[in-house]
Amino acid sequence: TMLEPLMVQFGTQVHELKRCALLRDCATTPDALASLTELAETLSNLEEQAARLQDVIAAEDAAVKQSEAVVAQARDHLGRLQHACTHLPAKLPAAVAAPAAGPVTAATSTTSAADGDAEASGTSGKGRRTKRRPSVPHMAYVRVEEFEGVPAYVRGRLTREFVNQAVDAYNTALTEKYKLLAQSRSSLGEHKMRRYNTYKDQENAASTGAQFIIDQDLKHLASFKMDSPARAAFAVLRHIGRIREIRGDKLIRFAIIV
């Protein structure tokens, strides 16, 4: 039994030796030599084609790896864009357009100087007395880094979106109030005249030069209820320096800081 594998291997080697002997005898004939030469050329061509095919495969493999890197980068960008779209704040600061610069001529500079003198003196270009309208400042939205810099005990469970809703309400109420105060008293009706006098009565020595509103202005002019979350939002605005409180005469005035 142990000799059977050895006998099989020995028979195989003898068979291969016989085949080699036959090929050696055939190689001496002209036909065999021509066939072997043709086979050698064919084999050489196949080896060249295989080498070129390997180069093509290597190039395609490199292209596949580069494409995979591009796909991974595109997926990363897609994830960032989806995150940005999901977390895009509802309130974004409006872009301020730069004034267009035009050529300055003698006529325009003279007119501008005249207009400036007229505005400073409270008269129009034709000599009529006009009431100067004070510019109403606009409170900017609270940015992410500002909101995150507020201590937790101040902001509590507030969100930045709600604080910016309070900013919208403040801007609306402040604009409506000082739009009324800028009007001529003779043009006001009875209802607006009572509001005008109320606004004037709310002013005191500490509020001189300040533009402010009170909680009732938020309620009536901006439909913004001053409940506990709203007061917490105004505490955040006070902490980051958007407003300051002016107290007196049993009133809390929220003055904008410019």
Side-chain angles (χ1 to χ4, degrees), residues 91-94 137-148 150 160 163-168 170-171 174 210-213 232-246 253-258:
K91 306 295 183 181
L92 292 175
H138 185 85
M139 185 187 301
Y141 288 129
V142 178
R143 300 188 301 273
V144 174
E145 59 271 18
E146 290 179 315
F147 184 75
E148 292 178 349
V150 177
R160 189 171 65 93
V163 175
N164 282 331
Q165 289 178 12
V167 170
D168 280 334
Y170 186 93
N171 287 331
L174 192 72
Q211 291 176 309
F212 65 89
I213 57 173
F234 273 75
V236 171
L237 294 177
R238 185 174 66 254
H239 181 85
I240 63 177
R242 289 288 202 278
I243 60 173
R244 63 186 178 93
E245 289 186 357
I246 302 174
R253 303 164 182 83
F254 301 105
I256 189 170
I257 298 177
V258 294

Side-chain angles (χ1 to χ4, degrees), residues 217-231:
D217 298 328
L218 290 165
K219 178 180 179 181
H220 297 301
L221 301 178
S223 300
F224 189 76
K225 184 179 179 181
M226 283 297 290
D227 50 12
S228 297
R231 295 188 183 279

Side-chain angles (χ1 to χ4, degrees), residues 24-215:
R24 184 186 61 182
D25 295 338
C26 293
T28 59
T29 62
D31 293 338
L33 290 175
S35 298
L36 290 175
T37 302
E38 183 179 357
L39 287 174
E41 292 178 354
T42 303
L43 181 60
S44 177
N45 292 334
L46 289 175
E47 288 176 348
E48 292 179 357
Q49 292 179 5
R52 289 196 296 268
L53 184 59
Q54 287 179 351
D55 292 339
V56 172
I57 291 175
E60 292 297 327
D61 184 60
V64 168
K65 291 181 180 179
Q66 185 177 4
S67 300
E68 289 176 348
V70 171
V71 170
Q73 188 176 8
R75 286 176 178 171
D76 181 66
H77 288 328
L78 178 61
R80 291 174 181 271
L81 288 174
Q82 288 176 343
H83 178 80
C85 291
T86 304
H87 298 83
L88 189 68
K91 306 295 183 181
L92 292 175
V96 179
V104 179
T105 62
T108 56
S109 61
T110 303
T111 303
S112 300
D115 292 342
D117 294 341
E119 183 179 356
S121 62
T123 60
S124 65
K126 297 181 180 180
R128 294 193 304 269
R129 299 288 298 182
T130 58
K131 185 173 182 179
R132 183 188 305 172
R133 292 190 175 185
S135 60
V136 180
H138 185 85
M139 185 187 301
Y141 288 129
V142 178
R143 300 188 301 273
V144 174
E145 59 271 18
E146 290 179 315
F147 184 75
E148 292 178 349
V150 177
Y153 71 87
V154 176
R155 67 186 183 190
R157 300 176 65 181
L158 290 178
T159 63
R160 189 171 65 93
E161 287 72 19
F162 182 78
V163 175
N164 282 331
Q165 289 178 12
V167 170
D168 280 334
Y170 186 93
N171 287 331
T172 300
L174 192 72
T175 301
E176 291 298 321
K177 173 183 176 179
Y178 284 92
K179 184 190 298 184
L180 175 63
L181 290 176
Q183 296 181 17
S184 174
R185 292 169 61 93
S186 59
S187 64
L188 300 178
E190 181 180 356
H191 176 67
K192 290 185 176 181
M193 194 63 194
R194 284 199 300 268
R195 287 174 50 197
Y196 184 98
N197 292 330
T198 300
Y199 293 152
K200 286 298 184 180
D201 291 339
Q202 293 169 358
E203 298 177 356
N204 61 9
S207 67
T208 302
Q211 291 176 309
F212 65 89
I213 57 173
I214 63 174
D215 54 358

